[in-house]
Amino acid sequence: MSVVLSPGSVEDAVAMLAEHAEAMPLAGGATLVAMRNAGLVEPTHLINLDCIAELRGIERDTTGGIRIGAMTRHCDTAACNDLTGSLLVLRRAAGMIANRVVRNMGTMGGSVANADPAADYLPALACCDAVLEVAGPEGRRKISIHDYVQGWYETALEQGEIITAITLPAPVAAPSAYRKIARVTGDYATASCAMALDPDGKGLRAAIGACGPGPLRDRDAEAVLRGRLDDPEAVLDFAACLAALADPLDDVRGSAEYRLRLIPRLITSVLSEIALQTEVA
Ligand SMILES: Cc1cc2nc3c(=O)[nH]c(=O)nc-3n(C[C@H](O)[C@H](O)[C@H](O)COP(=O)(O)OP(=O)(O)OC[C@H]3O[C@@H](n4cnc5c(N)ncnc54)[C@H](O)[C@@H]3O)c2cc1C
């Protein structure tokens, strides 16, 4: 049995985590409750983040940047009209998570904290250059999404820290898209690709998911591709650079070799979707 505690503030939650060495934060419970029921984790205390107002909601700051509270449910991210243009990719990723039940339960903070390599948010957040806001016993700090995943299910979060929000730069009017290949609709990705075009249409940001412990992004390769998006050979060279960074698993969702083969296909397919968005606009 775990004791459930319900702090009213981030500071109280951090203090409770510090006081109980075997405590864990509880967000939507979509993953944590299943892990606890399977005996994979045995927290003495569950620190329920649901009552903390600061962790809720999606807001714009004075520069137009977006702040997504860690307890924001996937369904609310998927329906958020502020996530347009270059940030539409995040909205699309949220809408492809699992099924309606999981999207109603799960939170962005819980998903990012869990850092499942096959989850949908991390590549989309890498493509958006997101920054995580965290709070812990040493105070508050920010972590770039690019420094966040440090190994398989290993993150830059220190003991006792919680994610409070995910912040994104102001959206710009440029297309972005997300695609995943999964065994069946609603499954985690076998491989995925998040992409956003630069506002001038010449360059892009792209991140591959589920082909390593964290999202794969190669900014040097993005620079080389700039101005050559309509050159199929240049696009395949770009895909090869991302595949060279991959460390794919052989698991129930696909072999490592299959995942590597999906990378160029996903990049080409997301580029086509982005080209369609450009034509429609
Ligand atoms: C059947 C099923 C299918 C799924 N399919 C997909 C899918 O296709 N794609 C996908 O991306 N995900 C999928 N998921 C995962 C889902 O998105 C979960 O919502 C997510 O992994 C965890 O979010 P949660 O809010 O429920 O967190 P919880 O389950 O409450 O917590 C997960 C972990 O994060 C920690 N934690 C929670 N919040 C914080 C915080 N703010 N700061 C620090 N630590 C925190 C917890 O202590 C725990 O270790 C699936 C889950 C299920 C059950």
Side-chain angles (χ1 to χ4, degrees):
M1 280 285 281
S2 305
V3 176
V4 178
L5 300 175
S6 295
S9 70
V10 167
E11 284 65 32
D12 286 352
V14 168
M16 288 172 184
L17 283 167
E19 187 182 347
H20 305 288
E22 303 296 322
M24 291 179 83
L26 173 67
T31 297
L32 183 51
V33 170
M35 286 174 75
R36 189 180 156 280
N37 290 346
L40 297 173
V41 292
E42 291 179 357
T44 54
H45 295 75
L46 291 171
I47 312 301
N48 179 14
L49 304 180
D50 210 25
C51 303
I52 304 177
E54 183 192 326
L55 303 184
R56 295 213 205 98
I58 304 181
E59 291 163 5
R60 266 179 189 267
D61 66 24
T62 48
T63 65
I66 307 261
R67 180 186 184 278
I68 303 181
M71 286 299 287
T72 303
R73 259 65 191 188
H74 308 326
C75 56
D76 294 324
T77 302
C80 177
N81 288 328
D82 282 336
L83 298 174
T84 57
S86 54
L87 301 184
L88 188 66
V89 57
L90 188 60
R91 193 173 161 185
R92 293 288 177 259
M96 285 186 211
I97 294 175
N99 51 49
R100 198 170 291 213
V101 175
V102 172
R103 289 197 293 275
N104 285 341
M105 279 178 83
T107 66
M108 192 177 291
S111 175
V112 172
N114 199 42
D116 191 307
D120 294 295
Y121 280 137
L122 288 174
L125 292 172
C127 178
C128 297
D129 295 319
V131 171
L132 310 181
E133 293 183 355
V134 308
E138 305 300 323
R140 299 208 180 213
R141 67 186 180 113
K142 295 182 179 182
I143 308 173
S144 160
I145 194 72
H146 306 301
D147 301 327
Y148 178 65
V149 177
Q150 304 201 329
W152 297 99
Y153 293 96
E154 274 179 33
T155 73
L157 280 182
E158 301 284 353
Q159 175 71 28
E161 280 188 326
I162 60 170
I163 299 172
T164 55
I166 295 90
T167 59
L168 307 163
V172 294
S176 66
Y178 179 76
R179 280 198 183 175
K180 78 195 243 190
I181 292 178
R183 293 174 303 176
V184 290
T185 304
D187 194 10
Y188 281 92
T190 301
S192 64
C193 177
M195 194 182 283
L197 216 60
D198 290 345
D200 63 7
K202 292 187 174 155
L204 54 69
R205 284 164 282 129
I208 297 291
C211 289
L216 311 175
R217 220 182 126 187
D218 186 335
R219 277 174 270 197
D220 291 339
E222 288 171 10
V224 171
L225 185 63
R226 195 172 162 72
R228 301 167 68 204
L229 294 180
D230 53 0
D231 174 351
E233 263 187 47
V235 171
L236 286 181
D237 287 347
F238 174 68
C241 290
L242 287 170
L245 300 177
D247 179 16
L249 289 177
D250 264 313
D251 69 9
V252 288
R253 297 198 178 90
S255 68
E257 191 194 341
Y258 176 55
R259 286 185 154 102
L260 287 177
R261 284 177 188 231
L262 291 179
I263 292 175
R265 285 169 174 74
L266 272 165
I267 286 175
T268 313
S269 145
V270 181
L271 259 178
S272 313
E273 183 176 334
I274 277 183
L276 270 179
Q277 282 185 36
T278 312
E279 274 173 31
V280 171

